[in-house]
Amino acid sequence: MIDTTAFINHLKSDTSYREQIAHIEAIPLRPAHYGNLEQPLSKSLEETLLTSRVLPLFSHQANAVNAIRRGENVVVATASASGKTLCYNIPVLEAMLADKWNRAMYLFPTKALAQDQERALRELASPGILKGIEIATFDGDTPTQLRATIKKQTKILLTNPDMLHLGILPNHGSWARFIRHLRYVIVDEAHAYRGVFGSHVAHILRRLRRLCALYGSSPQFILASATLANPGEHAQKLVGLPFSVVSDDGSPYGGKDFIFWNPPLVDPAKSVRHSSNSEATFLFTELLKKQVRSLAFARSRKLTELIYIYSRDELSRTAPALADKIMPYRAGYLPEERRQIEQGLFSGRLMGVVATNALELGVDIGDLDATILTGYPGSIASTWQQAGRSGRRREKSLSFLIALDNPLDQYFMRHPEALFGRSSEFALINTGNPYILKPHLLCAAWELPLKADDVSLFGDSFSGAIAELIEQGYLRNKNDRWYLLPSITYPAQKTNIRSTSERNYSIWDTSKDSLLEVVEGATAFFQVYPGAIYLHQGQPYLITSLDVEGHKAYAEPTEVNYYTQTRDITSLKVLKVLQEKVAGNVKAYLGEVEVTAQVVGYRKKMQFTEEVIGEEPLDLPSHVFPTQSLWFDLPPDAEERLADAGLDFAGGLHALEHAAIGLLPLYALCDRNDIGGLSTTFHADTGRAQIFIHDAHPGGIGIAEKGYELIKELWDATSKAIGECPCQDGCPSCIQSPKCGNNNEPLDKEGAKRLLDWLVEKPVSGNIPVSQDGGVK
């Protein structure tokens, strides 16, 4: 158990301390609250649970089991390490004891989590209730010789959405016995199923329900989730059925000191701060030197590798015995590499790991005392998931949130109550996105011919999508059924459920002529362009060439002291206005748009100092996609009033756009990279000055729609973020964006502040008339 007060005093006494501690939230210890079951457990199950020391049940566990026993679909939305797995394990094991034919399917977002939970389930249920192959994981790593046996004999199947989509549903005939007797479907880590991935999973679950109806089963669904603002709504959208919500957490909590750590200013006038990566390295290595087992999170694969390198080098100089007791962990590593790191943490061989959010989910990595979040993770839900990785023994723990130089992180440093005093964000999915719906309709038609009443499963967009697929030559109608054309085979193989793009890019190590790793097609141009420095397990690789048609990037090991960052430009065309409303003194709109984005170059930036040492152009194809966007007008006389004050209208628009994009994740469960934007003093489609904020994924996933709903709240938070920033002319903490394709020019901080004031202030003497029409001209 860490002495948090002593460690904080140690940090403050260090010569490098520059008042980085912006806030300390002392989260108090919380006692357990227990609940009672409406009907007692069977004697054998009660003995099993007593042996495992998981009784008595916490109140939320008892409430969930009672609701499930009543036949309700249930979503349990409570904190990390609150015992959510028992909420579904008890009714599932009861079903196994009641009828030897009952079956259950457990879905986890990753293979690692499924395999980890299989071990835990075996410890609970074996050998008294289930034994051997009766509990099994079925994924891409399952040996071929075991697969037929699993289909025939397994009672609890643990898998992931990818395998359900690719391996089980298209081959449902060989799973007929299992599906016919399917009693429960468990969806763990349900908050992870949001955005593009969640929209895909929603259709996979509808395809599963469709096949269950074919074989005569109607399973109950049980979802486990981190805390969300809309757990019931999210569960219903994900599965397509009504849900009861259990969210009153009865589990005990050991307490936590949660420290907001703001890197010190190195240039107060420009509000330039010390590198957050260096601050993370300092905190991580100081914790390790005090023998505190720690986990440091970073926002990207690249930063994970950088912080690991910095930490390894620092420990090699100051505590050599610890240098080989840390490792990086992220998606893209081979499965065996990830398992070794997980086991190293669990066994205690490793003292610390630097990870992406790949370790945010509940893989058992043992007991940790401290977590470091390098940058706000993008959502309150993820913040608590990552912070909750320490203190799982119900003892006091320590967490740090290190602010980045962006509007949202700095907003939290000045307004900690925005995190500690409000509920989590809304999880958003869009089952009507045609780029996601249509591929799954093809998959469903492969599994079983489509019919008109499938609209009850796939929603209002079903009929239009069917018409488009017929017109495109994918489906044909016969006897009021829609069949795939004979030329289309196994469409699931062509449907990437973690992206709206069909194909990924492979990275080849030319020094060994071997596959290094795989990146998503949608983000490839931002990661593996010619000249990019790509990090893999701490080793820098130079991307020497990119084969766009072949979807391959070629890399060679290199040693450099810089990293690379892309520049891109965006244009936007309004296709259709879906909604409009008066907000404050202007009109706001939601509509369908077509976005054209192109990576046009990259910068070379020095490690540690972030100094730009070079800039290179790139000639890569444009990415054109339809999506949803919100946009809003500006008061008609805003340009004239800014000009009279000697301020730049274009710079004010641009600054407001950047800051608003940075603050939107405060309300929608998304990452800043899920959002794009555009500001212009004149847009050809509306005939006026405009600010657009759009979903960055084809078809949209609901982020712009949520922003449109909460536009006045977004303006208010944006106004605070800009107005309270101590810089003079604008900085990365308020109006500058690292993604800006225009080198953050022009920007006018004061102009943005005045525009925001005019958007919401009450008109004075008619000086600020409400705008009349920002729709399509």
Side-chain angles (χ1 to χ4, degrees), residues 32 34 41 44-58 61 82-83 85-86 90 120 123-125 252 394:
Y34 298 101
L41 296 165
S44 60
L45 182 54
E46 185 176 25
E47 289 176 353
T48 296
L49 298 178
L50 283 169
T51 301
S52 299
R53 298 181 179 180
V54 293
L55 294 180
L57 296 179
F58 302 133
Q61 294 172 329
S82 59
T85 54
L86 206 57
I90 286 177
E123 290 177 5
L124 181 66
R394 300 171 189 166

Side-chain angles (χ1 to χ4, degrees), residues 3-36:
D3 184 339
T4 58
T5 302
F7 186 74
I8 292 169
N9 290 335
H10 164 71
L11 294 177
K12 289 182 175 180
S13 66
D14 191 273
T15 55
S16 65
Y17 183 70
R18 297 290 184 273
E19 305 296 330
Q20 287 99 320
I21 295 177
H23 177 75
I24 301 177
E25 187 77 10
I27 303 169
L29 179 145
R30 182 183 65 218
H33 295 279
Y34 298 101
N36 297 311

Side-chain angles (χ1 to χ4, degrees), residues 289-331:
K289 291 173 190 177
K290 295 293 184 181
Q291 300 300 304
V292 178
R293 300 185 71 240
S294 305
L295 175 59
F297 286 101
R299 292 295 310 277
S300 68
R301 295 181 178 189
K302 180 184 292 184
L303 293 179
T304 296
E305 300 282 358
L306 281 173
I307 294 170
Y308 164 68
I309 293 170
Y310 297 168
S311 300
R312 181 194 61 195
D313 293 348
E314 168 65 17
L315 291 173
S316 296
R317 288 191 300 270
T318 60
L322 293 172
D324 62 352
K325 292 186 179 294
I326 63 169
M327 283 292 290
Y329 181 104
R330 61 175 175 79

